[in-house]
Amino acid sequence: MPPSALDQLSRLNITYPMLFKLTNKNSDRMTHCGVLEFVADEGICYLPHWMMQNLLLEEGGLVQVESVNLMVATYSKFQPQSPDFLDITNPKAVLENALRNFACLTTGDVIAINYNEKIYELRVMETKPDKAVSIIECDMNVDFDAPLGYKEPERRSHYHEEPAAFTGSGNRLDGKKKGIEPSPAPIDPSDIKRGIPNYDYKVGKITFIRNSRPQPKKVDDEDAMNRFIAFSGEGQSLRKKGRKP
């Protein structure tokens, strides 16, 4: 801005830092900014190109400058105008560092930042507590919206179908059709032996299967006569009958 502007502002009761409202009455567009130096020629002020685009202002056009007081920012939300902004490793840190060169933000403006010799444009989607806020020496939370033209990558399934081996059909050697199992013959409960499950089991019915008692061993009549029975009251000879010494 020209030095005369500084002389006029110093005579007024203004607050620091100096903030201004710029209005293009021809397009009814307005924005807010600070001042860098008071060294411009009289009747001339120099604006960044991106600010002139926000005001729809051409070189040599007329702009109205007013001194204003803005509230300190607590929150701001930005939308990158290109998906290339996502290539930055830490975009939040890059933006916070770039905002040190700004004095205020206005909702709806498109600001431009320079990083790694490339210009990135971001639209101011939201500011709190007002639509125009001061960001000088403030603690402001920064958030991002999805970049303009950004498309989420398609999610690929982690499941990969493995090729099935031996997918051909086969034939049985006995001539029967494949996959047909013979129906099992009914089992008689009397044929069930211990250790084999009862396939005719019904819920609510308990069946106890016991082995038959072992038959007494058959002995000869001679062995039965010579058999010694303890405590029977009868004596037995140690010599076999029919033999004489």
Side-chain angles (χ1 to χ4, degrees), residues 35-93:
V35 59
L36 185 60
E37 291 180 328
F38 293 93
V39 295
D41 297 334
E42 291 298 327
I44 297 176
C45 64
Y46 295 93
L47 304 176
H49 180 67
W50 60 266
M51 190 177 295
M52 295 178 64
Q53 289 181 330
N54 289 331
L55 293 172
L56 300 179
L57 189 66
E58 296 181 357
E59 186 176 353
L62 297 177
V63 61
Q64 179 179 332
V65 182
E66 303 175 50
S67 177
V68 294
N69 295 327
L70 300 178
M71 301 179 65
V72 178
T74 58
Y75 172 82
S76 60
K77 187 175 184 179
F78 299 87
Q79 182 189 35
Q81 299 300 289
S82 172
D84 296 340
F85 189 74
L86 298 177
D87 297 336
I88 301 176
T89 304
N90 192 347
K92 188 174 182 180

Side-chain angles (χ1 to χ4, degrees), residues 4 31 60 87 110 116 128 136 141 154-155 200 212 223 227 233 236 240:
S4 59
T31 186
D87 297 336
V110 177
N116 282 348
K128 293 180 181 180
I136 299 176
N141 295 324
E154 297 180 359
R155 296 182 179 180
D200 293 335
S212 58
D223 294 338
R227 186 177 178 184
Q236 296 290 338
K240 292 184 179 182

Side-chain angles (χ1 to χ4, degrees), residues 5-190:
L6 178 60
D7 295 338
Q8 186 175 359
L9 290 169
S10 60
R11 299 189 186 100
L12 301 176
N13 186 17
I14 63 173
T15 59
Y16 293 87
M18 295 182 183
L19 300 176
F20 302 93
K21 176 182 178 181
L22 307 181
T23 306
N24 182 3
K25 292 186 176 181
N26 294 331
S27 60
D28 197 21
R29 300 289 292 270
M30 66 92 180
T31 186
H32 298 79
C33 66
V35 59
L36 185 60
E37 291 180 328
F38 293 93
V39 295
D41 297 334
E42 291 298 327
I44 297 176
C45 64
Y46 295 93
L47 304 176
H49 180 67
W50 60 266
M51 190 177 295
M52 295 178 64
Q53 289 181 330
N54 289 331
L55 293 172
L56 300 179
L57 189 66
E58 296 181 357
E59 186 176 353
L62 297 177
V63 61
Q64 179 179 332
V65 182
E66 303 175 50
S67 177
V68 294
N69 295 327
L70 300 178
M71 301 179 65
V72 178
T74 58
Y75 172 82
S76 60
K77 187 175 184 179
F78 299 87
Q79 182 189 35
Q81 299 300 289
S82 172
D84 296 340
F85 189 74
L86 298 177
D87 297 336
I88 301 176
T89 304
N90 192 347
K92 188 174 182 180
V94 171
L95 178 61
E96 290 178 352
N97 185 54
L99 289 178
R100 296 177 182 178
N101 300 322
F102 292 77
C104 51
L105 294 173
T106 305
T107 301
D109 280 0
V110 177
I111 65 174
I113 63 174
N114 188 353
Y115 179 71
N116 282 348
E117 300 180 354
K118 187 174 182 179
I119 302 299
Y120 297 93
E121 293 184 343
L122 299 96
R123 181 177 296 277
V124 183
M125 303 298 294
E126 184 181 358
T127 57
K128 293 180 181 180
D130 202 354
K131 291 185 177 181
V133 291
S134 171
I135 61 173
I136 299 176
E137 296 181 358
C138 69
D139 186 10
M140 178 179 64
N141 295 324
V142 178
D143 196 5
F144 290 99
D145 203 350
L148 191 66
Y150 172 74
K151 295 182 180 180
E152 294 185 0
E154 297 180 359
R155 296 182 179 180
R156 296 182 179 180
S157 176
H158 295 287
Y159 174 76
H160 299 283
E161 295 185 357
E162 296 182 358
F166 308 107
T167 57
S169 60
N171 297 320
R172 295 178 52 154
L173 297 177
D174 55 4
K176 296 182 179 180
K177 293 183 179 181
K178 182 182 177 182
I180 301 177
E181 298 292 337
S183 56
I187 300 176
D188 190 359
S190 60

Side-chain angles (χ1 to χ4, degrees), residues 207-224:
T207 304
F208 295 95
I209 302 176
R210 304 179 183 275
N211 292 336
S212 58
R213 294 182 179 180
Q215 299 293 331
K217 185 178 180 180
K218 296 182 179 181
V219 296
D220 297 337
D221 295 340
E222 184 179 355
D223 294 338

